[in-house]
Amino acid sequence: MTRAIIALVLVGLLGLVTAGLALARGGPPASQKGKGPTKTPLQQEWIQEVFVDYVNPSHAGPGPHPDTESSSFKLTQGGISWFSDGDVKYKITGAEGVTGGNTAIEAAIATLDGFITTRTFTRDDGSPSSNPCGGVNTVRWAAIDGSGGILATASVCRNVATKEIRGFVVTFDTDETWSVTGASGLPDVENVGAHEFGHMAGLNHVNGPKDGCLTMYRFASDGETQKQTLGLGDKLGLDALYSTGDTSSGPGCAS
Ligand SMILES: [Zn+2]
């Protein structure tokens, strides 16, 4: 096994890269030529951005809810996006204990699909599209960290050089008691889902108190549904990535 292959396997075990090519970048410095083997840096072709999303912490109160939507947005890695191509197929697994959960997930993806002008997203549990970072595009229900704390995570697979997004895995924590109706005291599937699929589209978090009613605000509160619909900053971010032309405000903070 060559040094390059060993290095790739080690990196893969760390979960930082699961597929792709390892390409030696450049050659040894002139001063080292003729001195035997040298270490050459590896260039990963595909890596994953992993976002971990928490319920609004108690010390932060019920969550900031300003009167107007802010225009804030932040692009992941300064701008990663789905390039133009056909249908992106994904599967949903493990939702047996969450009645109505899959319908809510599909609704959340449809919200972002309307703004990702370069692709369409279709649920196909039988033949989902492959993910260059490993496996296939998946939304799954799985235990993460017990009740509270982490609600969901999103792994977004992108090409290092081109910044093209071409895969995702979103995980909802089955240790939570989920609602699909915005019930008080419970996290709402579509509310959290729209946020996760915002990451899938290429959006990062916004954190300021004035950003509290945007879909990409960092935390989600129990009983909250306002993230189901995109706010002004969310739309401006998606326009920057996909030239949607929609720079209008959303339906407001309470919607
Ligand atoms: Zn997030």
Side-chain angles (χ1 to χ4, degrees), residues 51-53 195-196 199 205 216-218:
F51 300 89
V52 181
D53 291 305
H195 176 95
E196 302 307 325
H199 288 313
H205 290 133
M216 296 316 296
Y217 181 66
R218 184 175 195 84

PDB file of all heavy atoms in Angstrom, residues 51-53 195-196 199 205 216-218, ligand 1:
ATOM      1  N   PHE A  51     -23.151  20.581  10.004  1.00  0.00           N
ATOM      2  CA  PHE A  51     -23.822  21.562  10.853  1.00  0.00           C
ATOM      3  C   PHE A  51     -24.589  20.818  11.941  1.00  0.00           C
ATOM      4  O   PHE A  51     -25.278  19.841  11.653  1.00  0.00           O
ATOM      5  CB  PHE A  51     -24.805  22.405  10.033  1.00  0.00           C
ATOM      6  CG  PHE A  51     -24.142  23.170   8.907  1.00  0.00           C
ATOM      7  CD1 PHE A  51     -23.994  22.591   7.657  1.00  0.00           C
ATOM      8  CD2 PHE A  51     -23.660  24.452   9.121  1.00  0.00           C
ATOM      9  CE1 PHE A  51     -23.380  23.283   6.617  1.00  0.00           C
ATOM     10  CE2 PHE A  51     -23.049  25.149   8.090  1.00  0.00           C
ATOM     11  CZ  PHE A  51     -22.910  24.571   6.842  1.00  0.00           C
ATOM     12  N   VAL A  52     -24.456  21.284  13.176  1.00  0.00           N
ATOM     13  CA  VAL A  52     -25.146  20.669  14.318  1.00  0.00           C
ATOM     14  C   VAL A  52     -26.083  21.712  14.906  1.00  0.00           C
ATOM     15  O   VAL A  52     -25.651  22.809  15.273  1.00  0.00           O
ATOM     16  CB  VAL A  52     -24.129  20.205  15.380  1.00  0.00           C
ATOM     17  CG1 VAL A  52     -24.852  19.551  16.552  1.00  0.00           C
ATOM     18  CG2 VAL A  52     -23.117  19.246  14.758  1.00  0.00           C
ATOM     19  N   ASP A  53     -27.355  21.369  14.975  1.00  0.00           N
ATOM     20  CA  ASP A  53     -28.363  22.367  15.356  1.00  0.00           C
ATOM     21  C   ASP A  53     -29.046  22.004  16.661  1.00  0.00           C
ATOM     22  O   ASP A  53     -29.500  20.885  16.853  1.00  0.00           O
ATOM     23  CB  ASP A  53     -29.381  22.514  14.229  1.00  0.00           C
ATOM     24  CG  ASP A  53     -28.728  23.174  13.028  1.00  0.00           C
ATOM     25  OD1 ASP A  53     -28.175  24.260  13.196  1.00  0.00           O
ATOM     26  OD2 ASP A  53     -28.740  22.573  11.942  1.00  0.00           O
ATOM     27  N   HIS A 195     -34.698  24.569   8.046  1.00  0.00           N
ATOM     28  CA  HIS A 195     -33.370  25.062   8.431  1.00  0.00           C
ATOM     29  C   HIS A 195     -32.278  24.112   7.926  1.00  0.00           C
ATOM     30  O   HIS A 195     -31.290  24.547   7.330  1.00  0.00           O
ATOM     31  CB  HIS A 195     -33.302  25.204   9.957  1.00  0.00           C
ATOM     32  CG  HIS A 195     -31.970  25.618  10.469  1.00  0.00           C
ATOM     33  ND1 HIS A 195     -31.638  26.925  10.727  1.00  0.00           N
ATOM     34  CD2 HIS A 195     -30.845  24.898  10.757  1.00  0.00           C
ATOM     35  CE1 HIS A 195     -30.380  26.998  11.149  1.00  0.00           C
ATOM     36  NE2 HIS A 195     -29.881  25.767  11.181  1.00  0.00           N
ATOM     37  N   GLU A 196     -32.485  22.824   8.131  1.00  0.00           N
ATOM     38  CA  GLU A 196     -31.463  21.856   7.690  1.00  0.00           C
ATOM     39  C   GLU A 196     -31.296  21.893   6.167  1.00  0.00           C
ATOM     40  O   GLU A 196     -30.182  21.803   5.650  1.00  0.00           O
ATOM     41  CB  GLU A 196     -31.832  20.437   8.144  1.00  0.00           C
ATOM     42  CG  GLU A 196     -31.999  20.252   9.639  1.00  0.00           C
ATOM     43  CD  GLU A 196     -30.810  20.740  10.435  1.00  0.00           C
ATOM     44  OE1 GLU A 196     -29.672  20.617   9.957  1.00  0.00           O
ATOM     45  OE2 GLU A 196     -31.018  21.292  11.540  1.00  0.00           O
ATOM     46  N   HIS A 199     -29.162  24.627   4.972  1.00  0.00           N
ATOM     47  CA  HIS A 199     -27.744  24.234   4.929  1.00  0.00           C
ATOM     48  C   HIS A 199     -27.470  23.436   3.659  1.00  0.00           C
ATOM     49  O   HIS A 199     -26.445  23.630   2.988  1.00  0.00           O
ATOM     50  CB  HIS A 199     -27.401  23.368   6.142  1.00  0.00           C
ATOM     51  CG  HIS A 199     -27.336  24.096   7.436  1.00  0.00           C
ATOM     52  ND1 HIS A 199     -26.668  25.290   7.596  1.00  0.00           N
ATOM     53  CD2 HIS A 199     -27.861  23.789   8.659  1.00  0.00           C
ATOM     54  CE1 HIS A 199     -26.770  25.684   8.857  1.00  0.00           C
ATOM     55  NE2 HIS A 199     -27.495  24.799   9.522  1.00  0.00           N
ATOM     56  N   HIS A 205     -25.235  29.694   9.191  1.00  0.00           N
ATOM     57  CA  HIS A 205     -26.043  30.310  10.249  1.00  0.00           C
ATOM     58  C   HIS A 205     -25.927  31.830  10.256  1.00  0.00           C
ATOM     59  O   HIS A 205     -24.895  32.382   9.919  1.00  0.00           O
ATOM     60  CB  HIS A 205     -25.574  29.811  11.624  1.00  0.00           C
ATOM     61  CG  HIS A 205     -25.890  28.384  11.874  1.00  0.00           C
ATOM     62  ND1 HIS A 205     -24.983  27.492  12.369  1.00  0.00           N
ATOM     63  CD2 HIS A 205     -27.042  27.692  11.686  1.00  0.00           C
ATOM     64  CE1 HIS A 205     -25.546  26.307  12.496  1.00  0.00           C
ATOM     65  NE2 HIS A 205     -26.798  26.389  12.075  1.00  0.00           N
ATOM     66  N   MET A 216     -32.517  30.628   8.911  1.00  0.00           N
ATOM     67  CA  MET A 216     -31.151  30.204   9.178  1.00  0.00           C
ATOM     68  C   MET A 216     -30.614  30.733  10.499  1.00  0.00           C
ATOM     69  O   MET A 216     -29.412  30.651  10.766  1.00  0.00           O
ATOM     70  CB  MET A 216     -30.226  30.600   8.012  1.00  0.00           C
ATOM     71  CG  MET A 216     -30.563  29.901   6.700  1.00  0.00           C
ATOM     72  SD  MET A 216     -30.913  28.113   6.858  1.00  0.00           S
ATOM     73  CE  MET A 216     -29.325  27.501   7.410  1.00  0.00           C
ATOM     74  N   TYR A 217     -31.507  31.276  11.351  1.00  0.00           N
ATOM     75  CA  TYR A 217     -31.069  31.629  12.712  1.00  0.00           C
ATOM     76  C   TYR A 217     -30.595  30.362  13.409  1.00  0.00           C
ATOM     77  O   TYR A 217     -31.135  29.272  13.205  1.00  0.00           O
ATOM     78  CB  TYR A 217     -32.205  32.282  13.501  1.00  0.00           C
ATOM     79  CG  TYR A 217     -31.790  32.672  14.893  1.00  0.00           C
ATOM     80  CD1 TYR A 217     -30.833  33.677  15.090  1.00  0.00           C
ATOM     81  CD2 TYR A 217     -32.317  32.028  16.000  1.00  0.00           C
ATOM     82  CE1 TYR A 217     -30.420  34.022  16.364  1.00  0.00           C
ATOM     83  CE2 TYR A 217     -31.923  32.376  17.288  1.00  0.00           C
ATOM     84  CZ  TYR A 217     -30.964  33.370  17.463  1.00  0.00           C
ATOM     85  OH  TYR A 217     -30.557  33.705  18.731  1.00  0.00           O
ATOM     86  N   ARG A 218     -29.599  30.541  14.248  1.00  0.00           N
ATOM     87  CA  ARG A 218     -28.841  29.412  14.781  1.00  0.00           C
ATOM     88  C   ARG A 218     -29.664  28.394  15.573  1.00  0.00           C
ATOM     89  O   ARG A 218     -29.428  27.195  15.492  1.00  0.00           O
ATOM     90  CB  ARG A 218     -27.731  29.956  15.672  1.00  0.00           C
ATOM     91  CG  ARG A 218     -26.817  28.898  16.213  1.00  0.00           C
ATOM     92  CD  ARG A 218     -25.671  29.512  16.996  1.00  0.00           C
ATOM     93  NE  ARG A 218     -24.614  28.545  17.220  1.00  0.00           N
ATOM     94  CZ  ARG A 218     -23.666  28.270  16.341  1.00  0.00           C
ATOM     95  NH1 ARG A 218     -23.639  28.903  15.193  1.00  0.00           N
ATOM     96  NH2 ARG A 218     -22.746  27.368  16.590  1.00  0.00           N
TER      97      ARG A 218
HETATM   98 ZN    ZN B   1     -28.031  25.018  11.429  1.00  0.00          ZN
END
